Short mmCIF file of all heavy atoms in Angstrom, two decimals:
data_model
loop_
_atom_site.label_atom_id
_atom_site.label_comp_id
_atom_site.label_asym_id
_atom_site.label_seq_id
_atom_site.Cartn_x
_atom_site.Cartn_y
_atom_site.Cartn_z
N LEU A 602 -11.84 -19.12 -23.58
CA LEU A 602 -12.39 -18.38 -22.42
C LEU A 602 -12.16 -16.87 -22.61
O LEU A 602 -11.11 -16.39 -22.99
CB LEU A 602 -11.72 -18.84 -21.15
CG LEU A 602 -12.13 -20.17 -20.56
CD1 LEU A 602 -11.30 -20.48 -19.28
CD2 LEU A 602 -13.63 -20.22 -20.24
N ARG A 603 -13.22 -16.13 -22.31
CA ARG A 603 -13.15 -14.70 -22.19
C ARG A 603 -13.91 -14.34 -20.88
O ARG A 603 -14.79 -15.05 -20.47
CB ARG A 603 -13.86 -13.96 -23.36
CG ARG A 603 -13.20 -14.24 -24.71
CD ARG A 603 -11.88 -13.49 -24.86
NE ARG A 603 -11.37 -13.58 -26.19
CZ ARG A 603 -10.60 -14.53 -26.63
NH1 ARG A 603 -10.35 -15.58 -25.82
NH2 ARG A 603 -10.18 -14.58 -27.87
N VAL A 604 -13.55 -13.18 -20.31
CA VAL A 604 -14.23 -12.77 -19.09
C VAL A 604 -15.18 -11.65 -19.46
O VAL A 604 -14.78 -10.63 -20.06
CB VAL A 604 -13.22 -12.30 -18.00
CG1 VAL A 604 -13.96 -11.90 -16.74
CG2 VAL A 604 -12.21 -13.39 -17.73
N ALA A 605 -16.49 -11.89 -19.19
CA ALA A 605 -17.52 -10.87 -19.46
C ALA A 605 -17.70 -9.88 -18.31
O ALA A 605 -17.89 -10.33 -17.19
CB ALA A 605 -18.82 -11.60 -19.75
N PHE A 606 -17.59 -8.61 -18.62
CA PHE A 606 -17.79 -7.55 -17.67
C PHE A 606 -18.97 -6.67 -18.12
O PHE A 606 -19.02 -6.35 -19.31
CB PHE A 606 -16.56 -6.69 -17.47
CG PHE A 606 -15.43 -7.33 -16.73
CD1 PHE A 606 -14.44 -7.98 -17.47
CD2 PHE A 606 -15.34 -7.30 -15.36
CE1 PHE A 606 -13.32 -8.59 -16.79
CE2 PHE A 606 -14.28 -7.88 -14.67
CZ PHE A 606 -13.27 -8.52 -15.41
N PRO A 607 -19.81 -6.24 -17.23
CA PRO A 607 -20.81 -5.23 -17.62
C PRO A 607 -20.11 -3.93 -17.95
O PRO A 607 -19.09 -3.60 -17.38
CB PRO A 607 -21.69 -5.10 -16.37
CG PRO A 607 -20.90 -5.62 -15.25
CD PRO A 607 -19.97 -6.68 -15.83
N ARG A 608 -20.66 -3.15 -18.85
CA ARG A 608 -20.01 -1.92 -19.31
C ARG A 608 -20.12 -0.82 -18.27
O ARG A 608 -19.38 0.20 -18.37
CB ARG A 608 -20.57 -1.49 -20.64
CG ARG A 608 -20.20 -2.33 -21.81
CD ARG A 608 -20.45 -1.70 -23.17
NE ARG A 608 -19.96 -2.53 -24.26
CZ ARG A 608 -18.67 -2.52 -24.71
NH1 ARG A 608 -17.80 -1.69 -24.18
NH2 ARG A 608 -18.32 -3.31 -25.71
N ASN A 609 -20.96 -0.92 -17.29
CA ASN A 609 -21.07 0.04 -16.22
C ASN A 609 -21.38 1.48 -16.70
O ASN A 609 -20.96 2.45 -16.11
CB ASN A 609 -19.79 0.09 -15.38
CG ASN A 609 -19.67 -1.20 -14.52
OD1 ASN A 609 -20.61 -1.88 -14.27
ND2 ASN A 609 -18.43 -1.40 -14.07
N ASP A 610 -22.07 1.56 -17.85
CA ASP A 610 -22.46 2.86 -18.35
C ASP A 610 -23.93 3.01 -18.46
O ASP A 610 -24.46 4.00 -19.05
CB ASP A 610 -21.80 3.14 -19.72
CG ASP A 610 -22.13 2.12 -20.75
OD1 ASP A 610 -22.94 1.17 -20.43
OD2 ASP A 610 -21.63 2.19 -21.89
N GLY A 611 -24.70 2.04 -17.93
CA GLY A 611 -26.13 2.09 -17.98
C GLY A 611 -26.71 1.54 -19.28
O GLY A 611 -27.93 1.47 -19.43
N SER A 612 -25.85 1.13 -20.25
CA SER A 612 -26.31 0.66 -21.48
C SER A 612 -26.79 -0.76 -21.46
O SER A 612 -27.50 -1.26 -22.34
CB SER A 612 -25.22 0.80 -22.55
OG SER A 612 -24.11 -0.07 -22.23
N GLY A 613 -26.42 -1.47 -20.38
CA GLY A 613 -26.71 -2.91 -20.30
C GLY A 613 -25.81 -3.77 -21.16
O GLY A 613 -25.99 -4.99 -21.28
N GLY A 614 -24.78 -3.15 -21.76
CA GLY A 614 -23.88 -3.90 -22.65
C GLY A 614 -22.81 -4.68 -21.89
O GLY A 614 -22.68 -4.53 -20.63
N VAL A 615 -22.09 -5.52 -22.59
CA VAL A 615 -21.09 -6.38 -22.02
C VAL A 615 -19.81 -6.22 -22.81
O VAL A 615 -19.83 -6.09 -24.06
CB VAL A 615 -21.57 -7.84 -21.99
CG1 VAL A 615 -20.45 -8.77 -21.50
CG2 VAL A 615 -22.77 -8.02 -21.16
N ARG A 616 -18.68 -6.29 -22.18
CA ARG A 616 -17.40 -6.34 -22.86
C ARG A 616 -16.66 -7.61 -22.48
O ARG A 616 -16.80 -8.08 -21.35
CB ARG A 616 -16.53 -5.11 -22.57
CG ARG A 616 -16.33 -4.82 -21.10
CD ARG A 616 -15.76 -3.49 -20.89
NE ARG A 616 -14.53 -3.38 -21.69
CZ ARG A 616 -13.39 -2.91 -21.20
NH1 ARG A 616 -13.31 -2.50 -19.98
NH2 ARG A 616 -12.29 -2.84 -21.97
N PHE A 617 -15.85 -8.14 -23.38
CA PHE A 617 -15.17 -9.41 -23.17
C PHE A 617 -13.66 -9.15 -23.15
O PHE A 617 -13.09 -8.46 -24.00
CB PHE A 617 -15.49 -10.38 -24.29
CG PHE A 617 -16.96 -10.71 -24.36
CD1 PHE A 617 -17.71 -10.25 -25.45
CD2 PHE A 617 -17.56 -11.45 -23.38
CE1 PHE A 617 -19.08 -10.54 -25.52
CE2 PHE A 617 -18.93 -11.76 -23.45
CZ PHE A 617 -19.69 -11.30 -24.51
N VAL A 618 -12.97 -9.69 -22.13
CA VAL A 618 -11.58 -9.47 -21.88
C VAL A 618 -10.86 -10.80 -21.79
O VAL A 618 -11.36 -11.74 -21.17
CB VAL A 618 -11.32 -8.67 -20.60
CG1 VAL A 618 -9.82 -8.45 -20.39
CG2 VAL A 618 -12.06 -7.32 -20.65
#
Side-chain angles (χ1 to χ4, degrees):
L602 284 178
R603 297 287 188 273
V604 184
F606 288 95
R608 288 195 176 275
N609 289 341
D610 57 2
S612 65
V615 176
R616 53 192 305 228
F617 301 109
V618 180

